mmCIF file of all heavy atoms in Angstrom:
data_model
loop_
_atom_site.group_PDB
_atom_site.id
_atom_site.type_symbol
_atom_site.label_atom_id
_atom_site.label_comp_id
_atom_site.label_asym_id
_atom_site.label_seq_id
_atom_site.Cartn_x
_atom_site.Cartn_y
_atom_site.Cartn_z
ATOM 1 N N GLY O 9 -228.046 78.614 37.730
ATOM 2 C CA GLY O 9 -226.590 78.497 37.784
ATOM 3 C C GLY O 9 -225.959 79.355 36.699
ATOM 4 O O GLY O 9 -226.471 80.433 36.369
ATOM 5 N N ASN O 10 -224.878 78.855 36.121
ATOM 6 C CA ASN O 10 -224.121 79.642 35.130
ATOM 7 C C ASN O 10 -224.957 80.012 33.910
ATOM 8 O O ASN O 10 -224.960 81.158 33.464
ATOM 9 C CB ASN O 10 -222.898 78.843 34.661
ATOM 10 C CG ASN O 10 -221.939 78.599 35.799
ATOM 11 O OD1 ASN O 10 -221.719 79.483 36.616
ATOM 12 N ND2 ASN O 10 -221.378 77.402 35.871
ATOM 13 N N MET O 11 -225.688 79.004 33.380
ATOM 14 C CA MET O 11 -226.426 79.257 32.131
ATOM 15 C C MET O 11 -227.583 80.213 32.363
ATOM 16 O O MET O 11 -227.776 81.159 31.596
ATOM 17 C CB MET O 11 -226.945 77.916 31.582
ATOM 18 C CG MET O 11 -227.386 77.995 30.154
ATOM 19 S SD MET O 11 -225.989 78.323 29.067
ATOM 20 C CE MET O 11 -226.494 79.855 28.343
ATOM 21 N N ASN O 34 -233.687 78.073 43.199
ATOM 22 C CA ASN O 34 -232.398 77.400 43.093
ATOM 23 C C ASN O 34 -232.209 76.535 44.330
ATOM 24 O O ASN O 34 -232.451 77.002 45.434
ATOM 25 C CB ASN O 34 -231.289 78.463 43.017
ATOM 26 C CG ASN O 34 -230.096 77.981 42.267
ATOM 27 O OD1 ASN O 34 -230.174 76.963 41.592
ATOM 28 N ND2 ASN O 34 -229.004 78.693 42.372
ATOM 29 N N LYS O 35 -231.783 75.305 44.158
ATOM 30 C CA LYS O 35 -231.659 74.420 45.322
ATOM 31 C C LYS O 35 -230.458 74.788 46.200
ATOM 32 O O LYS O 35 -230.546 74.791 47.416
ATOM 33 C CB LYS O 35 -231.498 72.965 44.862
ATOM 34 C CG LYS O 35 -232.804 72.272 44.588
ATOM 35 C CD LYS O 35 -233.414 71.661 45.861
ATOM 36 C CE LYS O 35 -234.728 70.973 45.597
ATOM 37 N NZ LYS O 35 -235.881 71.873 45.602
ATOM 38 N N SER O 36 -229.341 75.069 45.552
ATOM 39 C CA SER O 36 -228.143 75.383 46.337
ATOM 40 C C SER O 36 -227.705 76.795 45.955
ATOM 41 O O SER O 36 -228.432 77.534 45.324
ATOM 42 C CB SER O 36 -227.043 74.370 46.023
ATOM 43 O OG SER O 36 -226.839 74.318 44.637
ATOM 44 N N ALA O 68 -233.465 75.253 33.813
ATOM 45 C CA ALA O 68 -232.002 75.403 33.736
ATOM 46 C C ALA O 68 -231.290 74.649 34.850
ATOM 47 O O ALA O 68 -230.251 75.074 35.341
ATOM 48 C CB ALA O 68 -231.626 76.886 33.748
ATOM 49 N N VAL O 69 -231.886 73.494 35.242
ATOM 50 C CA VAL O 69 -231.181 72.591 36.153
ATOM 51 C C VAL O 69 -230.365 71.615 35.295
ATOM 52 O O VAL O 69 -230.532 71.560 34.083
ATOM 53 C CB VAL O 69 -232.155 71.811 37.068
ATOM 54 C CG1 VAL O 69 -232.883 72.763 38.001
ATOM 55 C CG2 VAL O 69 -233.155 70.999 36.253
ATOM 56 N N VAL O 98 -233.128 74.215 28.583
ATOM 57 C CA VAL O 98 -231.777 74.404 28.022
ATOM 58 C C VAL O 98 -230.899 73.186 28.329
ATOM 59 O O VAL O 98 -229.700 73.204 28.086
ATOM 60 C CB VAL O 98 -231.096 75.696 28.539
ATOM 61 C CG1 VAL O 98 -231.847 76.928 28.096
ATOM 62 C CG2 VAL O 98 -230.938 75.684 30.058
ATOM 63 N N ALA O 99 -231.531 72.126 28.857
ATOM 64 C CA ALA O 99 -230.747 70.964 29.302
ATOM 65 C C ALA O 99 -230.241 70.139 28.119
ATOM 66 O O ALA O 99 -231.024 69.747 27.249
ATOM 67 C CB ALA O 99 -231.601 70.088 30.199
ATOM 68 N N ALA O 100 -228.958 69.869 28.119
ATOM 69 C CA ALA O 100 -228.368 69.064 27.040
ATOM 70 C C ALA O 100 -228.941 67.652 27.096
ATOM 71 O O ALA O 100 -229.026 67.036 28.160
ATOM 72 C CB ALA O 100 -226.852 69.036 27.202
HETATM 73 P P1 NAD W 1 -225.171 74.880 37.201
HETATM 74 O O1 NAD W 1 -224.785 73.718 38.040
HETATM 75 O O2 NAD W 1 -224.318 76.109 37.194
HETATM 76 O O3 NAD W 1 -226.657 75.322 37.601
HETATM 77 C C1 NAD W 1 -227.710 74.442 37.875
HETATM 78 C C2 NAD W 1 -228.462 74.980 39.066
HETATM 79 O O4 NAD W 1 -229.661 74.224 39.258
HETATM 80 C C3 NAD W 1 -227.666 74.861 40.378
HETATM 81 O O5 NAD W 1 -227.421 76.156 40.877
HETATM 82 C C4 NAD W 1 -228.578 74.036 41.305
HETATM 83 O O6 NAD W 1 -228.600 74.560 42.599
HETATM 84 C C5 NAD W 1 -229.929 74.170 40.665
HETATM 85 N N1 NAD W 1 -230.838 73.051 40.940
HETATM 86 C C6 NAD W 1 -230.582 71.726 40.955
HETATM 87 N N2 NAD W 1 -231.703 71.020 41.234
HETATM 88 C C7 NAD W 1 -232.701 71.926 41.394
HETATM 89 C C8 NAD W 1 -234.097 71.830 41.688
HETATM 90 N N3 NAD W 1 -234.686 70.654 41.860
HETATM 91 N N4 NAD W 1 -234.806 72.980 41.763
HETATM 92 C C9 NAD W 1 -234.212 74.173 41.577
HETATM 93 N N5 NAD W 1 -232.890 74.333 41.296
HETATM 94 C C10 NAD W 1 -232.149 73.224 41.210
HETATM 95 O O7 NAD W 1 -225.365 74.331 35.724
HETATM 96 P P2 NAD W 1 -225.336 75.149 34.322
HETATM 97 O O8 NAD W 1 -223.998 75.057 33.709
HETATM 98 O O9 NAD W 1 -225.986 76.475 34.506
HETATM 99 O O10 NAD W 1 -226.288 74.208 33.456
HETATM 100 C C11 NAD W 1 -227.696 74.265 33.598
HETATM 101 C C12 NAD W 1 -228.324 73.656 32.358
HETATM 102 O O11 NAD W 1 -227.889 74.413 31.231
HETATM 103 C C13 NAD W 1 -227.898 72.211 32.141
HETATM 104 O O12 NAD W 1 -229.030 71.425 31.888
HETATM 105 C C14 NAD W 1 -226.977 72.276 30.935
HETATM 106 O O13 NAD W 1 -227.119 71.114 30.128
HETATM 107 C C15 NAD W 1 -227.474 73.525 30.207
HETATM 108 N N6 NAD W 1 -226.458 74.212 29.373
HETATM 109 C C16 NAD W 1 -225.346 74.745 29.952
HETATM 110 C C17 NAD W 1 -224.399 75.386 29.141
HETATM 111 C C18 NAD W 1 -223.158 76.011 29.749
HETATM 112 O O14 NAD W 1 -222.345 76.514 28.971
HETATM 113 N N7 NAD W 1 -223.006 76.016 31.077
HETATM 114 C C19 NAD W 1 -224.598 75.493 27.745
HETATM 115 C C20 NAD W 1 -225.771 74.963 27.210
HETATM 116 C C21 NAD W 1 -226.696 74.317 28.035
#
Side-chain angles (χ1 to χ4, degrees):
N10 296 320
M11 195 66 240
N34 208 14
K35 275 274 180 276
S36 53
V69 295
V98 296

